[in-house]
Amino acid sequence: MPRTLLPLAAPGCCTPVTGTPVTADEAEGLARTLKALADPARLRLLSLIAAHDGGEACVCDLTEPLGLSQPTVSHHLKVLTDAGFLTRDKRGAWAYYALVPSAVADVTDHVLAHLPTATAAGRTDGHR
């Protein structure tokens, strides 16, 4: 009796795209935004500003806690402002910075919107 071979299953690399992946333009923009956050001094600046009374701070309030010079702190604040994480309010000779409340949440939501639901649902470590 001749042997009949069963067909091989299709390889896993040929599964169809069923979700909405990030477009090239979205990836470029998101990478620029994440790059602005990907610096320890900038993350500390966001935290320091959020911790200040009224949720705003002047450059003069931020240099000592960071241990950085005023020009360096100003550069980091400009990067965060340009990326949309902070607002800048000029008052006389001083500039005050405040968090844009939805900015970090918007980045998080954008990243999570493009993760496969199986990955998000399959987590067992308590994270989304």
Side-chain angles (χ1 to χ4, degrees), residues 9-128:
C13 66
C14 298
T15 58
V17 175
T18 58
T20 306
V22 175
T23 67
D25 288 341
E26 288 173 328
E28 287 289 329
L30 187 57
R32 277 191 301 277
T33 302
L34 292 173
K35 186 176 178 182
L37 288 178
D39 183 283
R42 293 183 198 141
L43 291 172
R44 290 198 60 216
L45 279 169
L46 290 176
S47 177
L48 284 166
I49 293 168
H52 267 80
D53 187 30
E56 68 176 10
C58 178
V59 175
C60 63
D61 299 322
L62 302 169
T63 54
E64 186 179 326
L66 284 178
L68 298 173
S69 68
Q70 183 273 324
T72 301
V73 171
S74 291
H75 165 74
H76 287 305
L77 290 168
K78 180 180 181 342
V79 170
L80 289 168
T81 301
D82 290 348
F85 291 105
L86 298 175
T87 60
R88 182 179 182 268
D89 182 28
K90 185 90 166 141
R91 300 179 196 161
W94 301 103
Y96 287 80
Y97 294 85
L99 293 176
V100 174
S102 64
V104 174
D106 289 347
V107 171
T108 304
D109 290 346
H110 189 78
V111 170
L112 291 175
H114 294 286
L115 290 177
T117 54
T119 302
R123 301 282 307 248
T124 59
D125 59 4
H127 293 97
R128 287 180 23 170

